[in-house]
């Protein structure tokens, strides 16, 4: 009888854990757009599973408890004395059903006015100890965390198919690729160094100026006059002038000479904007210019379609 | 009935530790405040004036060590020396040992206060001190142990009270942790390399670091709580059974949880998972302590409103409960993916340090001082003011740090729909949270102000009272009655046997560490080798030691986690095989600046040169300290042969006789870097003899071994 009950609880919990495993798996397979962020899925799945296990645990044990009560009542009616299987469940006379329930599963402290009954006889430098029952909710919590731990280890290591860190990473990258292709599908070909053109709209140039001040001015001077990096306002260029060359230098950098690559920090559009802004600096003659470096850039040397603006 | 014996409790040693605790508390908190302000005003690093000892990197370990080992450490000894004598009905075994312990500990603190700002550090968090100081710590800890156990042996009380179980577990565990963490091979008077490398070192470090929190900041303070809280409340402890269960569960489970500091790192997944599950299972045992504390106050809550001692204790125990719930939550991998490397961790530890350790120490001090000085507390009003400034200080500290952590983490992880990082420039995620750093500094200032008020109050209390150096007491001599009385709890058996208590504690705390560390150290397949990973060149090695000296690891991690947001920002995620020559490992635990795992080749040499001299010249708005002294300091290579020899002994495959060529090789590489700098337009004279060459060499090497494999 007892064994069957525990088996039942165990099976229910196993079922709960399987459900939880399935939730996680289904979530991973769902199309990217409809999916909750992975983190939330996990949080939900785990919370759900834990709550489910708690609930099942309580349902089963409460059921047992009620069953016992019914038996007791029946027994009282028919005048038969039952063998007392679980003495704890037998409620002292005069306590309501809810009180008994609370004491069994939640909290069972001896009231302060009766604490003499459980007070230790001995004292340590005046400190005495009560011998209260372990708070039942605390015991339950401890047990649940242990069960959770076992299922966690099972799911990720001992038999379940929980993803490893590197598998999780692969899934994340695949999903990102899908999202990215959806996002880029609607747009014209992304800007790159082969097709970039200089922008002339003042709003674009304004944004370009802002980027310049934040990212380029440190080395090229706030007005493009050049400090550590070369002067941007004269007609001399080390790696060629014109928007395509400038875009290329911004994108890939010239590591040997101290110019870093910006492609991981600036989007293609931003690089186009700041490149276009740099072109507008030509001939502005700011104070304290750095001496020219490189060669005079001749417009004719560039393909026709990129020479529109200065 | 046995004869009543007269004896005296030693209060002088308690007072000495208490005074040391609050004096070093002030020092440690002051250093913390300086650090908080440095993050808002980098000029406060003072390194731009050629003063290297006040930079953030060098002061951070001073702050943590001062708070943990000086403030809390002395607090522990104060509490232990007071309560142990009374719980055992015996004076400390030997006054001489007590004073050797006291002065030895203060000498250790002094050594730390001198050596850490000088840059003498192993860089392992909370175990930064150089090997000679490690030896001294071992010696003094043994002195403390002898003194404690001898007192226990000559006790007049048959059973050991729960506080003493905690003291015993503390003593043995800290001893084990400290000794294993200090396995290192010295190559000079202050320098040494750890016995463990890379991933193994990381595991040993966080087994140590996590359990330093557990067995230095937690268990001894729980012991103190079990003595001082029922005393102050004049109430019996809530549940003896709970004490037993939560004590054994706590010390057994705590030791396993270390790997939760290494989630999503290059540590094998099974170790990480053990860290997670044992952290979750730790909630209940930790809360057992909180419950036994708070429920002891049943029937005394009316007095909590009036008595500042109880107020401090209630907030302390509550903070303990919050921190020990938050800790397990942070150990869940998906939460940790957000919290790790951010200020969330900083908020978490400060709830523990300011709330639990700080407030419990203050509570105990306010209780002890009037008793030892046979007077009333000078001013209850001032104590209340201290309480409220302290509580507000914790709130103003923690809330902005939570906010900063979440903000920064979300910014790190945000992508544009096109698939590029929304905040590609790391610096944007830093400047965003500087206002929150300012609020934190305000919170810290409040807490510090409270502490000053508290010390003033204690000082006035002392000067109005008169100190009782030796407190007379009497008790019957102990008659060992080893046979348990009928109806006794089974646990009473071990409570009469301190040696068995020690042995069982030692077993309980050993299992977790053995299960995790042994396979990692002895089973080679746990750390897959990567053929292209080579030992550091002599110059890179020198650069690495400069990196360690300057405490760069305090703000820069070297661990790219397997997240898209990190591989996009930094490059390929870290593999355990990449770290096999790293002694010590330098993964770090906080990213105030960007990760440097894949720094090599990302920027030109000249960028690093300019950036070191003034970070703001290359990255406007950066809060990194300036390091102009690296361009002035002569590069000292004299220790290189000894370092190479030591590393070879530990297993780094440097070829035979390499130690004799090392200096030459280092000079040649420095020359090459100086030439490349010249080509890039930096014309400073004599660059090739400066420390800057070594640090550039190291930074340019970082994470490149695995790239080499890819292109081949």
């Amino acid at each position: 009888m007892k064994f069957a009950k525990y088996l039942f609880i165990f099976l229910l919990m196993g079922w709960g854990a399987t459900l939880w495993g399935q939730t996680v798996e289904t979530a991973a397979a769902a199309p990217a757009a409809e999916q909750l962020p992975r983190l939330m899925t996990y949080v939900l799945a785990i919370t759900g599973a834990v709550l489910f296990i708690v609930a099942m645990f309580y349902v089963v044990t409460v059921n047992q408890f009620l069953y016992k009560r019914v038996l007791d009542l029946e027994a009282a009616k028919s005048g038969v004395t039952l063998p007392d299987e679980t003495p704890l469940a037998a409620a002292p006379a005069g306590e309501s059903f809810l009180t008994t329930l609370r004491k069994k599963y939640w909290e069972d402290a001896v009231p302060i006015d009766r604490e003499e009954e459980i007070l230790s006889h001995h004292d340590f430098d005046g400190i005495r100890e009560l011998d209260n029952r372990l708070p039942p909710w605390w015991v339950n919590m401890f047990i649940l965390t242990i069960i959770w731990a076992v299922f966690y280890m099972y799911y990720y290591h001992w038999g379940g198919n929980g993803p490893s860190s590197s598998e999780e990473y692969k899934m994340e990258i695949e999903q990102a690729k899908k999202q990215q292709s959806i996002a880029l599908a609607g747009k014209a070909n992304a800007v790159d160094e082969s097709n970039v053109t200089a922008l002339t709209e003042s709003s674009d140039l304004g944004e370009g100026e802002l980027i310049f001040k934040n990212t380029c001015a440190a080395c090229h001077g706030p007005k493009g006059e050049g400090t550590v990096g070369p002067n941007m306002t004269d007609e001399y260029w080390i790696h060629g002038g014109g928007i395509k060359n400038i875009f290329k230098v911004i994108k890939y950098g010239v590591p040997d000479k101290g110019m870093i690559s910006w492609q991981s920090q600036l989007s293609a559009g931003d690089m186009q904007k700041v490149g276009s802004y740099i072109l507008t600096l030509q001939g502005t003659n700011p104070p304290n210019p750095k001496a020219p470096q490189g060669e005079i850039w001749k417009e004719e040397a560039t393909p026709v379609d990129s020479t529109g603006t200065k | 009935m046995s004869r009543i014996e007269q004896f005296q409790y030693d209060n002088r040693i308690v007072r000495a530790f208490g005074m040391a605790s609050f004096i070093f508390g002030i020092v440690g908190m002051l250093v913390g405040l300086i650090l908080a302000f440095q993050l808002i005003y980098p000029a406060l690093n003072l390194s731009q004036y050629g003063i290297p000892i006040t930079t953030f990197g060098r002061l951070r370990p001073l702050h943590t060590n001062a708070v943990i080992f000086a403030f809390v450490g002395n607090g522990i000894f104060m509490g232990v020396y007071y309560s142990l004598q009374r719980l055992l009905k015996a004076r400390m075994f030997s006054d001489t040992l007590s004073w050797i312990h006291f002065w030895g500990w203060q000498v250790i603190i002094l050594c730390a206060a001198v050596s850490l700002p000088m840059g003498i550090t192993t860089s392992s968090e909370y175990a930064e001190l150089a090997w000679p100081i490690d030896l001294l710590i071992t010696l003094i800890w043994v002195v403390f142990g002898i003194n404690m156990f001898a007192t226990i042996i000559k006790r007049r009380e048959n059973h050991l009270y729960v506080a003493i179980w905690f003291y015993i577990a503390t003593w043995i565990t800290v001893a084990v942790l400290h000794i294993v963490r200090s396995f290192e091979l010295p190559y000079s008077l202050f320098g040494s390399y750890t016995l463990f490398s890379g991933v193994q070192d990381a595991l040993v470090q966080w087994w140590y670091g996590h359990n330093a929190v557990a067995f230095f900041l937690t268990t001894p303070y729980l012991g103190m709580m079990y003595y001082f809280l029922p005393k102050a409340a004049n109430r019996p402890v809530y549940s003896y059974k709970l004490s037993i269960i939560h004590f054994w569960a706590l010390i057994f489970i705590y030791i396993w949880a270390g790997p939760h500091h290494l989630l999503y790192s290059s540590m094998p997944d099974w170790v990480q998972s053990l860290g997670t599950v044992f952290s979750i299972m730790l909630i209940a045992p930790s809360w057992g302590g909180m419950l036994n504390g708070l429920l002891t106050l049943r029937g005394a809550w009316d007095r909590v409103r009036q008595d500042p001692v109880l107020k401090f204790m209630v907030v302390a125990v509550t903070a303990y409960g919050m921190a020990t719930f938050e800790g397990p939550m942070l150990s869940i991998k998906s939460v940790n993916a957000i919290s790790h490397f951010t200020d969330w961790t900083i908020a978490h530890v400060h709830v523990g340090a300011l709330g639990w350790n700080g407030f419990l120490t203050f509570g105990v001090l306010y209780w002890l001082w009037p008793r030892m000085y046979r007077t009333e507390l000078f001013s209850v009003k001032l104590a209340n003011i201290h309480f409220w400034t302290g509580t507000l200080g914790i709130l103003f500290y923690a809330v902005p740090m939570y906010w900063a952590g979440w903000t920064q983490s979300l910014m790190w992880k945000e992508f544009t729909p096109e698939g590029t990082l929304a905040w590609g420039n790391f610096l944007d995620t830093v400047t965003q949270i500087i206002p929150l750093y300012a609020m934190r500094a305000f919170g810290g200032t409040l807490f510090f102000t409270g502490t000053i008020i508290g010390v003033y109050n204690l000082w006035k209390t002392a000067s109005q009272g008169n100190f009782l150096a030796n407190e007379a007491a009497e008790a019957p001599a102990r008659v060992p009655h080893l046979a348990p009385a009928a109806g006794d709890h089974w646990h009473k058996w071990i409570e009469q046997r301190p040696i068995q208590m020690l042995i069982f504690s030692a077993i309980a705390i050993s299992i977790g560490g053995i299960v995790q560390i042994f396979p990692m150290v002895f089973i080679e397949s746990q750390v897959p080798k990567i053929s292209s990973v080579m030992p550091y060149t002599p110059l890179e090695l020198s650069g690495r030691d400069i990196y360690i000296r300057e405490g760069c690891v305090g703000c820069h991690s070297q661990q790219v986690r397997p997240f898209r947001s990190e591989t996009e920002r930094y490059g390929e995620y870290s593999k355990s095989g990449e770290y096999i020559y790293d002694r010590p490992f330098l993964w770090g635990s906080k990213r105030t600046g960007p990760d440097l795992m894949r720094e090599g080749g990302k920027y030109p040499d000249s960028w690093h040169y300019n950036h070191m001299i003034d970070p703001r010249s290359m990255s406007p708005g950066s809060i990194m300290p300036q390091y102009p002294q690296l361009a002035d300091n002569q590069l000292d290579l004299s220790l290189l042969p000894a370092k190479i020899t030591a590393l070879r002994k530990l297993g780094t495959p440097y070829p035979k006789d390499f130690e004799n060529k090392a200096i030459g090789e280092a000079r040649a590489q420095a020359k090459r870097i100086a030439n490349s700098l010249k080509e890039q337009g930096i014309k400073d004279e004599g660059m090739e003899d400066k420390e800057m060459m070594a640090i550039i060499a190291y930074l340019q090497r970082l994470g490149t071994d695995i790239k080499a494999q890819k292109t081949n």
Side-chain angles (χ1 to χ4, degrees):
Chain A
M1 182 59 199
K2 212 167 186 177
F3 174 74
K5 268 189 291 183
Y6 286 119
L7 188 70
F8 180 56
I9 298 174
F10 186 74
L11 283 177
L12 269 178
M13 287 193 304
W15 180 56
T18 331
L19 260 188
W20 156 36
Q22 278 169 352
T23 330
V24 177
E25 265 180 80
T26 359
E34 297 162 22
Q35 204 193 321
L36 278 169
R38 265 184 83 75
L39 164 71
M40 292 312 294
T41 322
Y42 274 137
V43 171
L44 280 179
I46 291 169
T47 322
V50 169
L51 285 177
F52 181 80
I53 294 172
V54 175
M56 280 303 119
F57 196 74
Y58 272 70
V59 165
V60 171
T61 43
V62 168
N63 193 29
Q64 277 180 314
F65 176 71
L66 288 173
Y67 180 63
K68 186 83 179 32
R69 285 284 282 199
V70 171
L71 280 186
D72 285 347
L73 287 175
E74 293 279 323
K77 241 189 247 172
S78 58
V80 182
T81 30
L82 285 170
D84 205 2
E85 197 183 340
T86 43
L88 264 177
E95 273 187 357
S96 78
F97 169 59
L98 279 177
T99 311
T100 323
L101 202 63
R102 175 175 61 79
K103 282 191 173 177
K104 190 153 191 242
Y105 299 111
W106 188 248
E107 191 259 342
D108 184 23
V110 173
I112 293 173
D113 47 10
R114 274 177 41 211
E115 72 186 15
E116 278 299 325
E117 296 168 19
I118 53 162
L119 194 61
S120 63
H121 305 299
H122 184 76
D123 75 281
F124 293 97
D125 194 34
I127 301 173
R128 293 174 76 181
E129 292 168 289
L130 296 171
D131 200 14
N132 266 304
R133 240 188 99 192
L134 300 175
W137 67 268
W138 179 85
V139 176
N140 291 342
M141 177 172 76
F142 197 10
I143 290 168
L144 284 175
T145 57
I146 293 168
I147 294 171
W148 183 86
V150 172
F151 278 106
Y152 187 98
M153 290 309 286
Y154 174 80
Y155 180 61
Y156 284 102
H157 299 281
W158 299 335
N161 48 1
S164 70
S165 300
S166 54
E167 283 163 359
E168 268 182 53
Y169 175 68
K170 272 182 210 137
M171 290 193 278
E172 189 191 8
I173 294 292
E174 273 165 28
Q175 197 183 313
K177 273 186 189 152
K178 277 183 216 155
Q179 271 175 341
Q180 212 172 336
S181 56
I182 295 166
L184 291 174
K187 304 203 173 185
N189 291 334
V191 181
D192 66 27
E193 56 274 23
S194 66
N195 63 12
V196 62
T197 55
L199 302 165
T200 51
E201 288 289 325
S202 63
S203 61
D204 291 333
L205 293 176
E207 280 183 49
E209 184 178 0
L210 203 66
I211 297 167
F212 185 89
K213 293 265 185 297
N214 285 335
T215 49
C216 317
C219 297
H220 296 284
K223 295 193 161 65
E225 70 273 24
T227 53
V228 182
N231 187 336
M232 309 258 92
T233 63
D234 59 18
E235 50 189 348
Y236 291 85
W237 296 89
I238 304 173
H239 303 288
I243 186 69
K244 286 185 177 166
N245 286 317
I246 294 174
F247 185 91
K248 203 166 149 184
V249 169
I250 297 171
K251 186 171 177 185
Y252 299 109
V254 189
D256 293 346
K257 298 223 172 87
M259 172 74 184
I260 67 167
S261 153
W262 289 93
Q263 59 176 338
S264 65
Q265 301 190 29
L266 295 175
S267 70
D270 284 346
M271 290 191 282
Q272 184 183 22
K273 281 169 197 159
V274 73
S276 305
Y277 171 75
I278 288 169
L279 281 176
T280 67
L281 296 174
Q282 286 287 299
T284 49
N285 290 321
N288 307 318
K290 195 174 180 188
Q293 288 165 286
E295 287 161 21
I296 293 187
W297 174 253
K298 294 184 181 58
E299 301 292 340
E300 301 83 66
T302 55
V304 208
D305 62 330
S306 73
T307 52
T309 335
K310 259 197 168 185
Chain B
M1 195 63 207
S2 56
R3 192 171 50 86
I4 298 286
E5 295 177 337
Q6 314 280 330
F7 55 96
Q8 290 176 322
Y9 297 133
D10 181 4
N11 278 349
R12 217 177 249 127
I13 189 75
V14 179
R15 173 176 67 172
F17 277 120
M19 286 166 87
S21 175
F22 60 63
I23 289 170
F24 286 123
I26 288 180
V27 174
M29 290 175 211
L30 187 62
V31 178
L33 262 189
I34 294 171
L35 295 172
F37 280 103
Q38 283 178 341
L39 289 176
I40 320 168
Y41 307 110
L44 292 174
N45 281 287
L46 302 182
S47 50
Q48 66 274 28
Y49 307 119
I51 308 171
I53 57 168
T54 43
T55 50
F56 186 94
R58 295 204 188 181
L59 287 188
R60 184 190 176 273
L62 185 66
H63 167 60
T64 53
N65 277 278
V67 169
I68 297 173
F69 299 110
F71 171 54
V72 178
N74 280 310
I76 292 170
F77 303 135
M78 164 187 74
V80 170
Y81 275 92
Y82 188 87
S83 59
L84 192 74
Q85 299 186 70
R86 282 151 182 89
L87 289 169
L88 298 174
K89 295 263 177 290
R91 192 186 177 87
M92 289 309 293
F93 164 69
S94 155
D95 285 6
T96 316
L97 287 183
S98 299
W99 288 103
I100 292 175
H101 177 195
F102 176 78
W103 287 111
W105 197 256
Q106 312 318 315
V107 167
I108 291 166
I109 293 166
L110 198 68
C111 290
V114 172
S115 66
L116 291 172
M118 284 171 67
I120 299 170
T121 170
T122 66
S123 93
S124 302
E125 281 186 70
Y126 327 128
E128 286 93 347
L129 300 176
W131 67 268
I133 311 178
D134 282 345
L135 286 178
L136 187 58
I137 295 172
T138 315
L139 185 74
I140 296 302
W141 197 255
V142 169
V143 168
F144 168 47
I146 293 174
N147 206 12
M148 178 165 80
F149 276 98
T151 313
I152 293 177
I153 300 299
K154 63 157 214 176
R155 70 192 184 279
R156 294 186 180 81
E157 185 74 68
N158 226 322
H159 289 79
L160 302 180
Y161 177 62
V162 48
I164 298 169
W165 317 343
F166 277 104
Y167 298 156
I168 291 175
T170 298
W171 185 81
I172 180 68
T173 317
V174 170
V176 171
L177 292 169
H178 173 69
I179 290 170
V180 174
R181 174 66 288 195
S182 303
F183 284 159
E184 54 206 342
L185 186 62
Y187 59 76
S188 72
L189 185 56
F190 296 116
S192 64
Y193 288 120
T194 153
L195 191 67
F196 309 99
S197 76
V199 184
Q200 298 156 352
D201 193 44
L203 182 59
V204 171
Q205 164 55 28
W206 285 113
W207 166 80
Y208 166 86
H210 170 75
N211 290 301
V213 175
F215 289 89
F216 207 85
L217 301 180
T218 307
T219 53
Y221 265 54
L222 280 172
M224 281 161 66
M225 180 198 81
Y226 272 112
Y227 179 80
F228 291 99
L229 192 130
K231 283 295 251 190
N234 197 21
R235 289 279 305 146
V237 173
Y238 175 73
S239 169
Y240 168 64
K241 286 193 197 81
L242 186 57
S243 305
I244 298 170
I245 302 291
H246 106 89
F247 167 74
W248 288 105
L250 189 82
I251 66 166
F252 172 72
I253 293 179
Y254 230 131
I255 210 88
W256 292 75
H260 68 210
H261 291 257
L262 300 163
L263 298 180
Y264 284 117
S265 72
S266 315
M267 193 61 61
D269 275 357
W270 67 267
V271 184
Q272 298 184 29
S273 293
L274 284 180
T276 299
V277 299
F278 276 89
S279 305
I280 294 291
M281 287 189 279
L282 196 53
I283 300 174
S286 302
W287 272 17
M290 172 186 71
L291 290 177
N292 235 354
L294 290 181
L295 293 176
T296 295
L297 293 169
R298 285 187 327 156
W301 283 99
D302 51 323
R303 267 187 295 127
V304 173
R305 279 190 306 190
Q306 289 149 12
D307 185 357
V309 171
L310 287 178
K311 270 187 212 175
F312 273 107
M313 288 183 177
V314 165
V315 170
V317 176
T318 312
Y320 171 67
M322 293 197 300
T324 52
F325 180 71
E326 186 187 19
M329 293 302 111
L330 293 174
S331 309
I332 294 172
K333 282 181 91 175
S334 44
V335 178
N336 191 271
I338 297 176
S339 74
H340 196 51
F341 291 136
T342 74
D343 288 301
W344 190 345
T345 314
I346 313 297
H348 171 63
V349 299
H350 281 86
V351 169
L354 301 176
W356 166 238
N357 295 115
F359 267 33
L360 195 65
T361 312
F362 298 140
V364 171
L365 281 167
Y366 279 127
W367 189 84
L368 274 180
W369 246 236
R371 270 162 189 79
M372 293 198 302
Y373 281 95
R374 291 180 283 186
T375 177
E376 295 286 304
L377 186 61
F378 168 68
S379 163
V380 173
K381 198 171 180 187
L382 275 182
N384 280 324
I385 294 174
H386 175 195
F387 172 78
W388 285 109
T389 36
T391 308
L392 284 176
I394 297 173
L395 285 177
F396 273 100
Y397 190 108
V399 174
M401 284 294 92
Y402 286 120
W403 196 335
W406 295 326
T407 305
Q408 196 175 28
S409 186
L410 294 177
M411 287 174 88
W412 288 347
K413 287 172 184 294
E414 190 178 343
F415 277 91
T416 62
E418 290 78 23
T420 51
L421 288 164
W423 307 94
N425 187 352
F426 186 92
L427 198 50
D428 289 340
T429 74
V430 178
T431 47
Q432 179 75 26
I433 58 174
I434 287 179
L436 296 166
Y437 281 163
M439 284 173 72
R440 179 261 299 269
F442 172 69
T445 311
L446 272 184
F447 194 91
F448 182 70
T449 313
T451 309
I452 299 281
I453 295 170
V455 170
Y456 171 77
N457 204 356
L458 292 174
W459 177 61
K460 293 298 275 187
T461 307
S463 56
Q464 78 184 10
N466 107 55
F467 185 70
L468 178 60
N470 294 298
E471 193 176 322
E474 55 177 38
R478 184 165 76 101
V479 192
H481 64 92
L482 292 172
D488 260 2
H489 196 281
W490 54 267
H491 196 259
K492 294 278 184 207
W493 182 84
I494 201 164
E495 287 167 29
Q496 316 185 47
R497 292 169 175 78
I499 303 302
Q500 282 87 334
M501 192 85 193
L502 179 73
I503 294 168
F504 278 91
S505 303
I507 294 171
I509 59 104
S510 301
I511 296 171
I514 290 171
V515 169
Q516 291 169 352
I517 296 172
F518 275 50
M520 285 303 294
V521 173
F522 295 111
I523 302 176
E524 270 192 22
S525 62
Q526 290 293 338
V527 187
K529 288 238 158 47
I530 302 172
S531 59
S532 60
V533 173
M534 305 300 277
Y536 293 103
T537 69
L539 188 66
E540 289 159 6
L541 191 66
S542 308
R544 196 170 195 273
D545 290 336
I546 294 171
Y547 184 97
I548 290 169
R549 182 188 76 195
E550 298 302 337
C552 305
V553 71
C555 293
H556 294 281
S557 57
Q558 288 186 22
Q559 175 66 240
V560 182
R561 293 176 293 174
F563 304 146
R564 174 176 167 234
S565 57
E566 300 215 345
T567 52
E568 280 292 312
R569 188 183 296 277
Y570 302 118
E572 183 62 18
Y573 68 84
S574 303
K575 313 287 187 296
S576 56
E578 290 184 84
Y579 297 107
I580 53 171
Y581 302 123
D582 281 16
R583 284 172 208 273
F585 84 118
L586 292 172
W587 297 2
S589 55
K590 174 73 174 64
R591 278 182 193 151
T592 304
D595 188 275
L596 299 180
M597 176 72 200
R598 305 269 174 231
E599 187 68 4
K602 222 174 241 181
Y603 299 101
D605 291 349
S606 59
W607 186 93
H608 285 297
Y609 195 89
N610 290 321
H611 186 258
M612 282 294 173
I613 290 176
D614 182 6
R616 279 154 292 285
S617 71
M618 295 288 105
S619 312
S622 164
I623 54 172
M624 178 170 143
Q626 290 172 239
Y627 290 94
Q629 68 271 23
L630 294 180
D632 297 332
N633 291 354
Q634 289 292 322
L635 178 60
D636 180 7
L637 297 174
S638 58
L639 286 175
L640 257 183
K643 287 180 183 178
I644 298 280
T645 315
L647 284 174
R648 192 192 298 103
K649 271 189 200 143
L650 291 170
T652 308
Y654 284 117
K656 196 163 174 267
D657 215 28
F658 188 66
E659 59 271 27
N660 300 324
K661 301 176 199 148
I663 294 179
E665 289 217 3
R667 293 270 172 232
Q669 193 182 0
K671 186 101 190 155
R672 286 199 296 279
I673 292 172
N675 286 340
S676 102
L677 285 171
K678 270 180 200 137
E679 276 170 31
Q680 291 167 22
I682 291 170
K683 307 240 156 31
D684 295 358
E685 277 309 306
M687 282 189 295
E688 62 270 21
D689 298 326
K690 299 298 192 303
E691 287 185 341
M692 189 73 93
M693 300 305 107
I695 195 88
I696 291 177
Y698 175 60
L699 290 172
Q700 294 292 32
R701 168 68 186 275
L702 279 175
T704 52
D705 284 6
I706 205 165
K707 284 183 199 165
Q709 188 189 38
K710 270 193 173 168
T711 48
N712 283 346

